[in-house]
Amino acid sequence: FFYEIPARRSPLGKRICFCVARDMANLRYTGEDGYDHFVRKMGSWCDDFIEHHPDYSIVFVPHIYSDLSIIDDVLKSISDINRRLKVAVAPLCAVSPDAIDDTFSSYSGCDLVVSMRFHGNVVPIGNDIPTIGAVSLEKHQLLYQSIGLGDRSISTTSSKFWETLTEAIERSLTDQVRIRNEYA
């Protein structure tokens, strides 16, 4: 909560950041189709979002190397034109503790973060960036509840996850100023 994100200029303009996780798949991706279903749905969700929000880009922010695997799988499910023009992948540099600035600076200036990772939620919240916790582990749900933001998290195992995520993103983009002030 007390880490200050280094300011970074982005050529992408308006954007939302996603931090998706590949590790612990047996906990994160349950149900009949599990991981493969999640990846396909996320790709089609990204295409729909871009179609309805042509002024926005999507940035995937990896925190650890296995995140690159799921990002690659999701990218394969996004239309080629959107991958080329509206989607970016932030750099991952995990070779030293000082390199953390490279990862977290990707959140600088974004309009919203949707994250499955603990630090992908805590750091943006601490920097007054609206977040939606894509909750797949109990500690993430407890984080949001303990700071009075339980309504800002959604279980990835919910059958209505994508529908609820879309509604939460629309509300968040419309109400950014209030959310930023609440976080502050």
Side-chain angles (χ1 to χ4, degrees), residues 11-164:
L12 297 175
K14 294 171 75 172
R15 64 196 185 285
I16 62 172
C17 291
F18 278 92
C19 181
V20 290
R22 176 69 172 102
D23 60 326
M24 296 185 279
N26 60 324
L27 298 174
R28 295 183 192 279
Y29 309 103
T30 61
E32 190 175 306
D33 294 322
Y35 175 79
D36 293 332
H37 177 72
F38 184 89
V39 165
R40 283 191 310 274
K41 283 294 286 182
M42 180 156 210
S44 65
W45 185 93
C46 288
D47 281 331
D48 289 343
F49 177 82
I50 291 166
E51 179 182 332
H52 292 97
H53 299 84
D55 52 335
Y56 273 90
S57 294
I58 294 173
V59 179
F60 288 96
V61 183
H63 283 215
I64 63 174
Y65 287 108
S66 65
D67 294 350
L68 294 172
S69 174
I70 186 173
I71 292 169
D72 181 55
D73 290 341
V74 171
L75 289 173
K76 291 173 185 170
S77 296
I78 298 173
S79 72
D80 185 58
I81 192 71
N82 286 336
R83 274 193 313 254
R84 290 173 184 246
L85 301 176
K86 292 297 203 171
V87 178
V89 179
L92 172 64
C93 184
V95 296
S96 77
D98 296 336
I100 199 69
D101 287 349
D102 291 333
T103 296
F104 289 130
S105 68
S106 300
Y107 296 127
S108 177
C110 72
D111 296 286
L112 176 68
V113 174
V114 179
S115 181
M116 297 176 79
R117 293 224 168 271
F118 187 80
H119 291 95
N121 286 289
V122 171
V123 171
I125 290 170
N127 284 269
D128 308 332
I129 299 169
T131 60
I132 297 172
V135 174
S136 57
L137 302 176
E138 185 179 6
K139 74 177 182 176
H140 300 160
Q141 183 65 43
L142 293 173
L143 163 72
Y144 274 89
Q145 290 172 346
S146 71
I147 59 175
L149 297 174
D151 63 325
R152 306 263 338 132
S153 64
I154 306 165
S155 173
T156 59
T157 60
S158 166
S159 61
K160 296 185 184 243
F161 173 76
W162 296 105
E163 177 183 311
T164 306

